[in-house]
Coordinates of all heavy atoms in Angstrom, one line a residue:
M128 N -16.8 -9.5 1.3 CA -15.7 -8.9 0.5 C -15.2 -7.7 1.3 O -15.9 -6.7 1.5 CB -16.2 -8.4 -0.9 CG -15.2 -7.9 -1.8 SD -15.9 -7.5 -3.4 CE -15.7 -9.1 -4.3
P129 N -13.8 -7.8 1.5 CA -13.3 -6.6 2.2 C -13.3 -5.3 1.5 O -13.1 -5.4 0.2 CB -11.9 -7.0 2.6 CG -11.6 -8.3 1.8 CD -13.0 -8.7 1.4
K130 N -13.5 -4.2 2.2 CA -13.4 -2.9 1.5 C -12.0 -2.3 1.9 O -11.7 -2.3 3.2 CB -14.5 -2.1 1.8 CG -14.6 -0.7 1.1 CD -15.8 0.0 1.3 CE -17.1 -0.4 0.6 NZ -17.1 -0.1 -0.7
L131 N -11.3 -1.6 1.0 CA -10.0 -0.9 1.3 C -10.4 0.5 1.0 O -11.1 0.9 0.0 CB -9.0 -1.4 0.4 CG -8.5 -2.9 0.4 CD1 -7.2 -3.0 -0.3 CD2 -8.5 -3.3 1.9
V132 N -9.6 1.4 1.8 CA -9.8 2.9 1.6 C -8.5 3.4 1.2 O -7.5 3.1 1.9 CB -10.4 3.5 2.7 CG1 -10.5 5.0 2.6 CG2 -11.8 3.0 3.3
F133 N -8.4 4.0 0.0 CA -7.2 4.8 -0.4 C -7.4 6.2 -0.2 O -8.4 6.8 -0.6 CB -6.9 4.3 -1.9 CG -6.5 3.0 -2.1 CD1 -7.6 2.0 -2.4 CD2 -5.1 2.5 -2.1 CE1 -7.2 0.6 -2.5 CE2 -5.0 1.2 -2.2 CZ -5.9 0.3 -2.6
V134 N -6.4 6.8 0.4 CA -6.3 8.3 0.4 C -5.4 8.7 -0.6 O -4.1 8.5 -0.5 CB -5.8 8.8 1.8 CG1 -5.9 10.3 2.0 CG2 -6.7 8.2 2.9
L135 N -5.9 9.4 -1.6 CA -5.2 9.8 -2.8 C -4.2 10.9 -2.4 O -4.5 11.6 -1.5 CB -6.1 10.1 -4.0 CG -7.1 9.1 -4.4 CD1 -7.9 9.4 -5.5 CD2 -6.4 7.8 -4.6
P136 N -3.3 11.2 -3.3 CA -2.3 12.4 -3.1 C -3.0 13.7 -2.8 O -2.5 14.5 -2.1 CB -1.4 12.4 -4.2 CG -1.4 11.0 -4.6 CD -2.8 10.4 -4.5
D137 N -4.2 13.8 -3.4 CA -4.8 15.3 -3.2 C -5.7 15.2 -2.0 O -6.5 16.1 -1.8 CB -5.7 15.4 -4.5 CG -6.9 14.5 -4.6 OD1 -7.1 13.7 -3.9 OD2 -7.7 14.7 -5.7
G138 N -5.7 14.1 -1.2 CA -6.5 14.0 0.0 C -7.9 13.3 -0.2 O -8.6 13.0 0.9
T139 N -8.3 13.1 -1.4 CA -9.5 12.5 -1.6 C -9.5 11.0 -1.1 O -8.5 10.3 -1.3 CB -9.8 12.4 -3.1 OG1 -9.7 13.7 -3.6 CG2 -11.2 11.8 -3.4
E140 N -10.4 10.6 -0.4 CA -10.6 9.1 0.0 C -11.6 8.3 -0.9 O -12.6 8.8 -1.3 CB -11.2 9.1 1.4 CG -10.1 9.7 2.5 CD -10.6 9.2 3.9 OE1 -11.4 8.4 4.2 OE2 -9.9 9.8 4.8
T141 N -11.0 7.2 -1.4 CA -11.9 6.3 -2.2 C -11.9 4.9 -1.6 O -10.9 4.3 -1.4 CB -11.1 6.2 -3.6 OG1 -11.0 7.6 -4.2 CG2 -11.9 5.3 -4.6
G142 N -13.1 4.4 -1.5 CA -13.3 3.1 -1.0 C -13.6 2.1 -2.2 O -14.3 2.4 -3.1
V143 N -12.8 1.0 -2.1 CA -13.0 0.0 -3.2 C -13.2 -1.4 -2.6 O -12.6 -1.6 -1.5 CB -11.8 0.0 -4.2 CG1 -11.6 1.4 -4.9 CG2 -10.5 -0.4 -3.5
D144 N -13.9 -2.2 -3.3 CA -14.0 -3.6 -2.9 C -12.8 -4.3 -3.3 O -12.3 -4.1 -4.4 CB -15.2 -4.3 -3.5 CG -16.5 -3.6 -3.0 OD1 -16.6 -3.3 -1.8 OD2 -17.6 -3.6 -3.9
A145 N -12.3 -5.2 -2.4 CA -11.0 -5.9 -2.7 C -11.4 -7.5 -2.6 O -12.2 -7.9 -1.9 CB -9.9 -5.5 -1.7
R146 N -10.5 -8.2 -3.4 CA -10.7 -9.6 -3.3 C -9.5 -10.2 -2.3 O -8.5 -9.8 -2.5 CB -10.5 -10.3 -4.7 CG -11.6 -10.2 -5.7 CD -11.5 -11.1 -6.8 NE -10.2 -10.8 -7.5 CZ -10.2 -10.2 -8.7 NH1 -11.4 -9.9 -9.3 NH2 -9.0 -9.9 -9.2
T147 N -10.1 -11.0 -1.4 CA -9.1 -11.7 -0.7 C -8.1 -12.5 -1.4 O -8.4 -13.1 -2.5 CB -9.8 -12.6 0.4 OG1 -10.3 -13.7 -0.3 CG2 -10.7 -12.0 1.4
G148 N -6.8 -12.4 -1.1 CA -5.7 -13.1 -1.8 C -5.1 -12.1 -2.8 O -4.0 -12.3 -3.2
D149 N -5.8 -11.0 -3.2 CA -5.0 -10.0 -4.0 C -4.1 -9.1 -3.1 O -4.4 -9.1 -2.0 CB -6.1 -9.1 -4.7 CG -6.7 -9.8 -6.0 OD1 -6.2 -10.9 -6.3 OD2 -7.6 -9.2 -6.5
S150 N -3.3 -8.5 -3.7 CA -2.5 -7.5 -3.0 C -3.2 -6.2 -3.0 O -3.9 -5.9 -3.9 CB -1.1 -7.4 -3.7 OG -1.2 -6.7 -4.9
V151 N -2.8 -5.3 -2.1 CA -3.2 -4.0 -2.1 C -2.9 -3.2 -3.3 O -3.6 -2.5 -3.9 CB -2.8 -3.2 -0.8 CG1 -3.1 -1.9 -0.8 CG2 -3.4 -4.0 0.5
M152 N -1.8 -3.5 -3.8 CA -1.2 -3.0 -5.0 C -2.1 -3.2 -6.3 O -2.6 -2.4 -7.1 CB 0.3 -3.3 -5.4 CG 0.8 -2.8 -6.7 SD 0.4 -3.8 -8.1 CE 1.6 -5.2 -8.0
I153 N -2.3 -4.6 -6.3 CA -3.4 -5.0 -7.4 C -4.7 -4.3 -7.4 O -5.3 -3.9 -8.3 CB -3.4 -6.5 -7.5 CG1 -2.2 -7.3 -7.9 CG2 -4.6 -7.0 -8.3 CD1 -1.9 -7.1 -9.4
T154 N -5.2 -4.3 -6.2 CA -6.4 -3.6 -6.0 C -6.4 -2.2 -6.4 O -7.4 -1.7 -7.0 CB -6.8 -3.8 -4.5 OG1 -6.8 -5.1 -4.0 CG2 -8.3 -3.2 -4.1
A155 N -5.4 -1.5 -6.1 CA -5.3 -0.1 -6.5 C -5.2 0.0 -8.0 O -5.9 0.8 -8.7 CB -4.0 0.6 -5.8
T156 N -4.3 -0.7 -8.6 CA -4.1 -0.5 -10.0 C -5.3 -1.0 -10.8 O -5.6 -0.5 -11.8 CB -2.9 -1.3 -10.4 OG1 -2.9 -2.6 -10.2 CG2 -1.6 -0.8 -9.8
Q157 N -6.0 -2.0 -10.4 CA -7.2 -2.6 -11.1 C -8.3 -1.5 -11.0 O -9.3 -1.6 -11.8 CB -7.6 -3.9 -10.6 CG -6.7 -5.0 -11.2 CD -7.1 -6.4 -10.7 OE1 -7.9 -6.6 -9.8 NE2 -6.7 -7.3 -11.3
N158 N -8.2 -0.7 -10.0 CA -9.4 0.3 -9.8 C -8.7 1.6 -10.3 O -9.5 2.6 -10.3 CB -9.7 0.5 -8.3 CG -10.7 -0.6 -7.9 OD1 -11.9 -0.6 -8.2 ND2 -10.0 -1.6 -7.3
G159 N -7.7 1.7 -11.0 CA -7.2 2.8 -11.7 C -6.8 4.1 -10.8 O -7.0 5.2 -11.2
L160 N -6.4 3.8 -9.6 CA -6.1 4.9 -8.6 C -4.6 5.3 -9.0 O -3.8 4.7 -9.2 CB -6.0 4.2 -7.2 CG -7.4 3.7 -6.8 CD1 -7.4 3.2 -5.4 CD2 -8.4 4.7 -6.9
D161 N -4.7 6.7 -9.1 CA -3.4 7.4 -9.3 C -2.4 7.2 -8.2 O -2.8 7.2 -7.0 CB -3.6 8.9 -9.5 CG -4.4 9.2 -10.9 OD1 -4.2 8.2 -11.7 OD2 -4.9 10.2 -11.0
G162 N -1.1 7.1 -8.5 CA -0.2 7.2 -7.5 C 0.5 5.8 -7.1 O 1.7 5.9 -6.7
V163 N -0.1 4.7 -7.5 CA 0.5 3.4 -7.3 C 1.0 3.0 -8.7 O 0.1 2.4 -9.4 CB -0.4 2.3 -6.7 CG1 0.2 0.9 -6.6 CG2 -0.9 2.9 -5.2
V164 N 2.2 3.2 -8.8 CA 2.9 3.0 -10.2 C 3.1 1.4 -10.5 O 2.7 0.9 -11.4 CB 4.1 3.8 -10.4 CG1 4.7 3.6 -11.8 CG2 3.8 5.3 -10.1
A165 N 3.7 0.9 -9.5 CA 4.0 -0.7 -9.5 C 4.7 -1.0 -10.8 O 4.3 -2.0 -11.5 CB 2.6 -1.3 -9.3
E166 N 5.9 -0.3 -11.1 CA 6.6 -0.6 -12.2 C 7.0 -2.1 -12.4 O 7.2 -2.6 -13.5 CB 7.9 0.2 -12.3 CG 7.8 1.6 -12.8 CD 9.0 2.5 -12.6 OE1 10.0 1.9 -12.1 OE2 8.9 3.7 -12.9
C167 N 7.4 -2.7 -11.3 CA 7.8 -4.1 -11.4 C 6.7 -5.2 -11.4 O 7.0 -6.4 -11.5 CB 8.9 -4.4 -10.4 SG 8.1 -4.8 -8.6
G168 N 5.5 -4.8 -11.2 CA 4.4 -5.6 -11.3 C 4.3 -6.5 -10.1 O 3.6 -7.6 -10.1
G169 N 4.9 -6.1 -9.0 CA 4.8 -6.8 -7.7 C 5.9 -7.8 -7.4 O 5.8 -8.6 -6.5
N170 N 7.0 -7.6 -8.0 CA 8.2 -8.4 -7.9 C 9.2 -7.9 -6.8 O 10.2 -8.4 -6.7 CB 8.9 -8.7 -9.1 CG 8.0 -9.6 -10.1 OD1 7.5 -10.5 -9.7 ND2 7.9 -9.1 -11.4
L171 N 8.7 -6.9 -6.1 CA 9.6 -6.4 -5.0 C 10.8 -5.9 -5.5 O 12.1 -6.2 -4.9 CB 9.8 -7.5 -3.9 CG 10.2 -7.1 -2.5 CD1 9.5 -6.0 -1.9 CD2 10.3 -8.3 -1.5
S172 N 10.8 -5.2 -6.6 CA 12.1 -4.7 -7.1 C 12.0 -3.3 -7.6 O 12.9 -2.7 -8.4 CB 12.7 -5.6 -8.3 OG 11.7 -5.7 -9.3
C173 N 10.9 -2.5 -7.3 CA 10.9 -1.1 -7.6 C 10.6 -0.1 -6.7 O 11.0 1.2 -6.6 CB 9.8 -1.0 -8.8 SG 8.1 -1.1 -8.3
A174 N 9.7 -0.4 -5.6 CA 9.3 0.4 -4.6 C 8.3 1.5 -5.1 O 8.1 2.5 -4.3 CB 10.4 1.0 -3.8
T175 N 7.8 1.5 -6.3 CA 6.9 2.4 -6.7 C 5.5 2.2 -6.4 O 4.6 2.7 -6.9 CB 7.0 2.6 -8.2 OG1 6.7 1.4 -8.9 CG2 8.4 3.1 -8.7
C176 N 5.3 1.2 -5.4 CA 3.9 0.9 -4.9 C 3.9 1.3 -3.4 O 3.0 0.8 -2.7 CB 3.6 -0.6 -5.1 SG 4.8 -1.6 -4.1
H177 N 4.8 2.2 -3.0 CA 4.8 2.7 -1.6 C 3.5 3.3 -1.2 O 3.0 4.1 -1.8 CB 6.0 3.5 -1.5 CG 6.2 4.2 -0.2 ND1 6.5 5.4 0.1 CD2 6.1 3.6 1.0 CE1 6.5 5.8 1.3 NE2 6.4 4.6 2.0
V178 N 3.1 2.8 0.0 CA 1.9 3.5 0.7 C 2.2 3.6 2.2 O 3.1 2.9 2.7 CB 0.7 2.6 0.5 CG1 0.2 2.6 -1.0 CG2 0.8 1.3 1.2
W179 N 1.5 4.5 2.8 CA 1.5 4.6 4.3 C 0.3 3.8 4.9 O -0.9 4.5 4.5 CB 1.5 6.1 4.7 CG 2.9 6.7 4.3 CD1 4.1 6.3 4.5 CD2 2.9 8.0 3.4 NE1 4.9 7.3 4.0 CE2 4.3 8.2 3.2 CE3 1.9 8.7 2.8 CZ2 4.6 9.4 2.5 CZ3 2.3 9.9 2.0 CH2 3.7 10.1 1.9
V180 N 0.4 2.9 5.7 CA -0.8 2.4 6.4 C -1.2 3.1 7.6 O -0.2 3.7 8.3 CB -0.3 0.9 6.8 CG1 -1.4 0.3 7.7 CG2 0.0 0.0 5.7
R181 N -2.4 3.4 7.7 CA -2.9 4.3 8.8 C -2.7 3.5 10.1 O -2.7 2.2 10.2 CB -4.4 4.6 8.7 CG -4.6 5.6 7.6 CD -4.8 7.0 8.3 NE -4.9 8.1 7.4 CZ -6.0 8.6 6.9 NH1 -7.2 8.1 7.5 NH2 -6.1 9.5 6.1
D182 N -2.3 4.3 11.2 CA -1.9 3.8 12.5 C -2.8 2.5 13.0 O -2.3 1.6 13.6 CB -1.9 4.8 13.5 CG -0.8 5.9 13.4 OD1 0.1 5.5 12.3 OD2 -0.7 6.8 14.0
D183 N -4.2 2.7 12.8 CA -5.1 1.7 13.5 C -5.0 0.4 12.8 O -5.7 -0.5 13.2 CB -6.5 2.2 13.6 CG -7.0 3.0 12.4 OD1 -6.0 3.3 11.4 OD2 -8.2 3.3 12.2
F184 N -4.2 0.3 11.7 CA -4.2 -1.1 10.9 C -2.8 -1.6 11.0 O -2.4 -2.6 10.4 CB -4.7 -0.9 9.5 CG -6.2 -1.1 9.5 CD1 -7.0 0.1 9.5 CD2 -6.8 -2.3 9.3 CE1 -8.3 -0.1 9.5 CE2 -8.2 -2.4 9.2 CZ -9.0 -1.3 9.3
L185 N -1.9 -0.9 11.7 CA -0.5 -1.3 11.6 C -0.3 -2.8 12.3 O 0.3 -3.5 11.7 CB 0.4 -0.4 12.5 CG 0.7 1.0 11.9 CD1 1.4 1.9 12.8 CD2 1.4 0.8 10.4
D186 N -0.9 -3.0 13.3 CA -0.9 -4.3 14.0 C -1.4 -5.4 13.0 O -0.9 -6.5 12.8 CB -1.7 -4.4 15.2 CG -0.9 -3.7 16.4 OD1 0.2 -3.4 16.1 OD2 -1.4 -3.5 17.4
A187 N -2.6 -5.2 12.3 CA -3.2 -6.2 11.4 C -2.5 -6.4 10.3 O -2.3 -7.7 9.7 CB -4.6 -5.6 11.1
V188 N -1.8 -5.4 9.8 CA -1.0 -5.5 8.5 C 0.3 -6.2 8.8 O 0.8 -7.0 8.1 CB -0.9 -4.2 7.8 CG1 0.4 -4.2 6.7 CG2 -2.1 -3.6 7.3
G189 N 0.8 -5.9 9.9 CA 2.2 -6.3 10.3 C 3.3 -5.6 9.8 O 3.2 -4.7 8.9
P190 N 4.5 -6.0 10.3 CA 5.8 -5.2 9.8 C 6.2 -5.8 8.3 O 5.8 -6.8 7.9 CB 6.8 -5.6 10.8 CG 6.5 -7.0 11.3 CD 4.9 -7.1 11.2
P191 N 7.0 -4.9 7.7 CA 7.5 -5.4 6.4 C 8.5 -6.6 6.5 O 9.1 -6.7 7.5 CB 8.2 -4.2 5.8 CG 8.5 -3.4 7.1 CD 7.5 -3.6 8.0
G192 N 8.6 -7.3 5.5 CA 9.6 -8.4 5.5 C 11.0 -7.8 5.3 O 11.1 -6.5 5.0
E193 N 12.0 -8.6 5.4 CA 13.3 -8.2 5.5 C 13.7 -7.5 4.1 O 14.3 -6.4 3.9 CB 14.3 -9.3 5.6 CG 15.7 -8.9 6.0 CD 16.6 -10.0 6.4 OE1 16.2 -10.9 7.0 OE2 17.8 -9.9 6.2
M194 N 13.4 -8.2 3.0 CA 13.6 -7.6 1.5 C 12.8 -6.3 1.4 O 13.3 -5.4 0.8 CB 13.3 -8.7 0.6 CG 14.4 -9.7 0.4 SD 14.0 -11.1 -0.8 CE 14.0 -10.1 -2.3
E195 N 11.6 -6.4 1.8 CA 10.8 -5.2 1.6 C 11.3 -4.0 2.4 O 11.5 -2.9 1.9 CB 9.4 -5.5 2.1 CG 8.3 -4.4 1.9 CD 7.2 -4.6 2.5 OE1 6.8 -5.8 3.0 OE2 6.2 -3.7 2.6
D196 N 11.8 -4.3 3.6 CA 12.3 -3.3 4.4 C 13.6 -2.6 3.8 O 13.9 -1.4 3.7 CB 12.7 -4.0 5.8 CG 13.0 -2.9 6.9 OD1 12.3 -2.0 6.9 OD2 13.9 -3.2 7.7
D197 N 14.5 -3.6 3.2 CA 15.7 -3.1 2.6 C 15.4 -2.3 1.5 O 15.9 -1.3 1.1 CB 16.6 -4.3 2.2 CG 17.2 -5.0 3.3 OD1 17.2 -4.5 4.4 OD2 17.6 -6.2 3.1
M198 N 14.3 -2.8 0.6 CA 13.9 -2.0 -0.6 C 13.5 -0.5 -0.3 O 13.8 0.4 -0.9 CB 12.9 -2.8 -1.3 CG 12.3 -2.1 -2.6 SD 13.5 -2.0 -4.0 CE 13.7 -3.7 -4.2
M199 N 12.7 -0.5 0.9 CA 12.2 0.9 1.2 C 13.3 1.6 1.7 O 13.4 2.9 1.5 CB 11.2 0.6 2.2 CG 9.8 0.1 1.8 SD 8.5 0.4 2.9 CE 8.8 -0.9 4.1
D200 N 14.4 1.2 2.4 CA 15.5 1.8 2.8 C 16.2 2.5 1.6 O 16.7 3.7 1.7 CB 16.5 1.0 3.6 CG 16.1 1.0 5.1 OD1 15.4 1.7 5.5 OD2 16.7 0.1 5.7
L201 N 16.4 1.8 0.6 CA 17.1 2.2 -0.5 C 16.3 3.2 -1.4 O 17.0 4.1 -1.9 CB 17.5 0.9 -1.5 CG 18.5 0.0 -1.0 CD1 18.7 -1.2 -1.8 CD2 19.9 0.7 -0.9
A202 N 15.0 2.9 -1.5 CA 14.4 3.6 -2.5 C 13.1 4.6 -2.3 O 12.6 5.2 -3.0 CB 13.8 2.6 -3.5
T203 N 12.9 4.5 -1.0 CA 11.5 5.3 -0.6 C 12.0 6.6 0.0 O 12.8 6.6 1.0 CB 10.8 4.5 0.4 OG1 10.5 3.2 -0.2 CG2 9.5 5.3 0.8
S204 N 11.7 7.8 -0.6 CA 12.1 9.0 -0.1 C 11.5 9.6 1.2 O 12.1 10.1 2.1 CB 12.0 10.1 -1.1 OG 10.7 10.1 -1.6
D205 N 10.2 9.2 1.4 CA 9.6 9.6 2.7 C 9.0 8.6 3.3 O 7.8 8.3 3.6 CB 8.4 10.7 2.1 CG 7.7 11.3 3.2 OD1 8.2 11.2 4.5 OD2 6.7 12.0 3.0
R206 N 10.0 7.8 4.1 CA 9.5 6.7 4.8 C 9.0 7.0 6.1 O 9.7 8.0 6.8 CB 10.8 5.8 4.9 CG 10.4 4.4 5.6 CD 11.4 3.4 5.5 NE 10.8 2.2 6.1 CZ 11.5 1.0 6.2 NH1 12.7 0.9 5.6 NH2 11.0 0.0 6.8
R207 N 7.9 6.5 6.5 CA 7.3 6.8 7.9 C 7.0 5.5 8.6 O 7.2 4.3 8.0 CB 6.0 7.5 7.5 CG 6.2 8.8 6.9 CD 4.9 9.4 6.6 NE 4.9 10.6 5.7 CZ 4.0 11.3 5.3 NH1 2.8 10.8 5.5 NH2 4.1 12.3 4.5
T208 N 6.5 5.5 9.8 CA 6.2 4.4 10.6 C 5.3 3.4 9.8 O 5.5 2.2 9.9 CB 5.4 4.8 11.8 OG1 6.2 5.7 12.5 CG2 5.0 3.5 12.7
G209 N 4.3 3.9 9.0 CA 3.4 3.1 8.4 C 3.8 2.6 7.0 O 3.0 2.0 6.2
S210 N 5.0 3.0 6.6 CA 5.4 2.6 5.2 C 5.5 1.2 4.9 O 6.0 0.3 5.7 CB 6.8 3.2 5.0 OG 6.8 4.6 4.8
R211 N 4.7 0.8 3.8 CA 4.8 -0.5 3.3 C 4.8 -0.5 1.8 O 4.3 0.6 1.2 CB 3.6 -1.3 3.8 CG 3.5 -1.6 5.1 CD 4.5 -2.6 5.7 NE 4.6 -3.8 4.8 CZ 3.9 -4.9 5.2 NH1 3.2 -5.0 6.2 NH2 4.1 -6.0 4.2
L212 N 5.3 -1.5 1.1 CA 5.1 -1.7 -0.3 C 3.8 -2.6 -0.6 O 3.7 -3.5 -0.1 CB 6.3 -2.5 -0.9 CG 7.6 -1.7 -0.8 CD1 8.7 -2.4 -1.4 CD2 7.5 -0.3 -1.3
S213 N 2.9 -1.8 -1.1 CA 1.5 -2.3 -1.2 C 1.4 -3.7 -2.0 O 0.5 -4.4 -1.8 CB 0.6 -1.3 -1.8 OG 0.9 -1.0 -3.2
C214 N 2.5 -4.0 -2.7 CA 2.4 -5.4 -3.5 C 2.6 -6.5 -2.4 O 2.5 -7.6 -2.7 CB 3.4 -5.4 -4.6 SG 5.2 -5.5 -4.1
Q215 N 3.1 -6.2 -1.3 CA 3.4 -7.2 -0.3 C 2.4 -7.2 0.9 O 2.5 -8.1 1.8 CB 4.8 -6.9 0.4 CG 6.0 -6.7 -0.6 CD 6.1 -8.1 -1.4 OE1 6.3 -9.1 -0.8 NE2 6.1 -8.0 -2.7
I216 N 1.3 -6.5 0.8 CA 0.2 -6.6 1.7 C -0.8 -7.5 0.9 O -1.5 -6.9 -0.1 CB -0.4 -5.2 2.1 CG1 0.7 -4.3 2.7 CG2 -1.5 -5.4 3.1 CD1 0.3 -2.9 3.0
I217 N -1.2 -8.6 1.4 CA -2.3 -9.4 0.9 C -3.6 -9.2 1.6 O -3.7 -9.3 2.8 CB -1.9 -10.9 0.9 CG1 -0.5 -11.1 0.3 CG2 -2.8 -11.9 0.3 CD1 -0.4 -10.7 -1.2
V218 N -4.6 -8.9 0.8 CA -5.9 -8.7 1.4 C -6.6 -9.9 2.0 O -6.5 -11.0 1.4 CB -6.9 -8.1 0.3 CG1 -8.3 -7.9 0.8 CG2 -6.4 -6.8 -0.4
S219 N -7.1 -9.6 3.2 CA -7.8 -10.7 3.9 C -9.0 -10.1 4.6 O -9.1 -8.8 4.7 CB -6.9 -11.3 5.1 OG -6.6 -10.4 6.0
E220 N -9.9 -10.9 5.0 CA -11.1 -10.5 5.7 C -10.8 -9.4 6.9 O -11.5 -8.6 7.2 CB -12.1 -11.5 6.1 CG -12.7 -12.3 5.1 CD -13.7 -11.5 4.1 OE1 -14.1 -10.5 4.6 OE2 -14.0 -11.9 3.0
E221 N -9.7 -9.9 7.5 CA -9.3 -9.1 8.7 C -8.9 -7.6 8.4 O -8.8 -6.7 9.2 CB -8.0 -9.8 9.4 CG -8.5 -11.1 10.1 CD -8.7 -12.3 9.1 OE1 -8.1 -12.2 8.0 OE2 -9.6 -13.0 9.4
L222 N -8.6 -7.5 7.0 CA -8.1 -6.2 6.8 C -9.2 -5.3 6.0 O -9.0 -4.2 5.5 CB -7.0 -6.3 5.6 CG -5.7 -6.8 6.1 CD1 -4.5 -6.7 5.0 CD2 -5.2 -6.2 7.5
D223 N -10.5 -5.8 6.4 CA -11.7 -4.9 6.0 C -11.6 -3.5 6.5 O -11.4 -3.4 7.8 CB -12.9 -5.7 6.3 CG -14.2 -4.8 5.9 OD1 -14.2 -4.4 4.7 OD2 -15.1 -4.8 6.6
G224 N -11.7 -2.5 5.8 CA -11.5 -1.2 6.2 C -10.1 -0.6 6.2 O -9.9 0.6 6.5
L225 N -9.2 -1.5 5.8 CA -7.9 -1.0 5.8 C -7.6 0.4 4.9 O -8.3 0.5 4.0 CB -7.0 -2.1 5.1 CG -5.5 -1.5 4.8 CD1 -4.7 -1.3 6.0 CD2 -4.7 -2.6 3.9
T226 N -7.0 1.2 5.6 CA -6.8 2.6 5.0 C -5.4 2.9 4.8 O -4.5 2.7 5.7 CB -7.4 3.7 5.9 OG1 -8.9 3.4 6.1 CG2 -7.3 5.1 5.2
V227 N -5.1 3.1 3.5 CA -3.7 3.4 3.2 C -3.6 4.8 2.5 O -4.4 5.1 1.7 CB -2.9 2.3 2.3 CG1 -2.9 1.1 3.2 CG2 -3.6 2.3 1.0
E228 N -2.6 5.6 2.7 CA -2.3 6.9 2.0 C -1.3 6.6 0.8 O -0.4 5.9 1.0 CB -1.8 7.9 2.9 CG -2.8 8.3 3.9 CD -2.2 9.3 5.0 OE1 -1.7 10.4 4.4 OE2 -2.0 9.2 6.1
I229 N -1.6 7.2 -0.2 CA -0.7 7.1 -1.5 C 0.1 8.3 -1.3 O -0.5 9.5 -1.5 CB -1.4 6.9 -2.7 CG1 -2.3 5.7 -2.7 CG2 -0.5 7.0 -3.9 CD1 -3.3 5.5 -3.8
P230 N 1.4 8.1 -1.4 CA 2.4 9.4 -1.5 C 2.2 10.2 -2.8 O 1.7 9.6 -3.8 CB 3.8 8.8 -1.4 CG 3.7 7.5 -1.0 CD 2.2 7.0 -1.3
R231 N 2.5 11.4 -2.7 CA 2.4 12.3 -3.9 C 3.3 11.9 -4.9 O 3.0 12.0 -6.1 CB 2.7 13.8 -3.5 CG 2.4 14.8 -4.5 CD 2.4 16.2 -4.0 NE 1.4 16.4 -3.1 CZ 0.0 16.6 -3.2 NH1 -0.3 16.6 -4.6 NH2 -0.8 16.8 -2.3
E232 N 4.5 11.4 -4.5 CA 5.6 11.0 -5.5 C 6.0 9.5 -5.2 O 6.2 9.2 -4.0 CB 6.7 11.9 -5.6 CG 6.4 13.3 -6.0 CD 7.6 14.2 -6.1 OE1 8.7 13.7 -5.7 OE2 7.4 15.4 -6.3
Q233 N 6.3 8.8 -6.1 CA 6.9 7.5 -6.0 C 8.4 7.6 -6.4 O 8.7 8.5 -7.3 CB 6.2 6.5 -6.8 CG 4.8 6.1 -6.4 CD 4.6 5.3 -5.0 OE1 5.6 5.0 -4.4 NE2 3.4 5.1 -4.6
P234 N 9.3 6.8 -5.8 CA 10.7 6.9 -6.2 C 10.9 6.6 -7.7 O 10.1 6.1 -8.3 CB 11.4 5.8 -5.4 CG 10.3 4.9 -4.9 CD 9.0 5.6 -4.9
Ligands
FES460 FE1 7.4 -3.2 -7.4 FE2 5.8 -3.3 -5.3 S1 5.2 -3.2 -7.3 S2 8.0 -3.4 -5.4

């Protein structure tokens, strides 16, 4: 079972077990982590699940899709190299140890 690490807005790191096939967003919300709001429930229409993927996992996670990229352009205030919408990152064994930072504010 892959483990994900979330860096909360206050800098605290929390490791949680994740199920393959779930999204990173679902993993965060099911574990009650603050900061991943996910207003649209994973339908790629809110951008309130924005996270920053740590550099060492950028290749494994891959780039955002076109619609995700457009959504972040429109709605994400602090976009960075590792910006992704966590509902669009699907957990796999290859992502064991994936570390993402949760922004202090969601759009
Ligand atoms: Fe709305 Fe990800 S939960 S875009």
Side-chain angles (χ1 to χ4, degrees):
M128 181 175 274
K130 186 176 276 286
L131 305 185
V132 179
F133 291 90
V134 183
L135 305 182
D137 68 0
T139 308
E140 293 194 9
T141 303
V143 299
D144 291 328
R146 285 193 302 251
T147 58
D149 278 355
S150 68
V151 171
M152 177 276 280
I153 287 290
T154 306
T156 56
Q157 286 184 342
N158 282 279
L160 299 180
D161 287 340
V163 177
V164 179
E166 276 175 3
C167 77
N170 289 315
L171 197 50
S172 58
C173 73
T175 61
C176 62
H177 178 222
V178 296
W179 297 302
V180 174
R181 285 270 174 92
D182 289 352
D183 44 350
F184 276 91
L185 288 177
D186 287 344
V188 169
E193 192 174 333
M194 285 180 61
E195 180 185 352
D196 197 40
D197 289 346
M198 178 67 64
M199 287 193 291
D200 274 348
L201 287 172
T203 304
S204 56
D205 191 4
R206 187 163 181 183
R207 302 178 187 173
T208 302
S210 283
R211 291 293 310 268
L212 298 181
S213 58
C214 67
Q215 302 302 303
I216 304 173
I217 303 303
V218 176
S219 63
E220 292 295 339
E221 291 71 36
L222 294 185
D223 182 41
L225 171 65
T226 303
V227 300
E228 295 179 54
I229 300 174
R231 187 166 300 281
E232 293 179 5
Q233 294 288 0

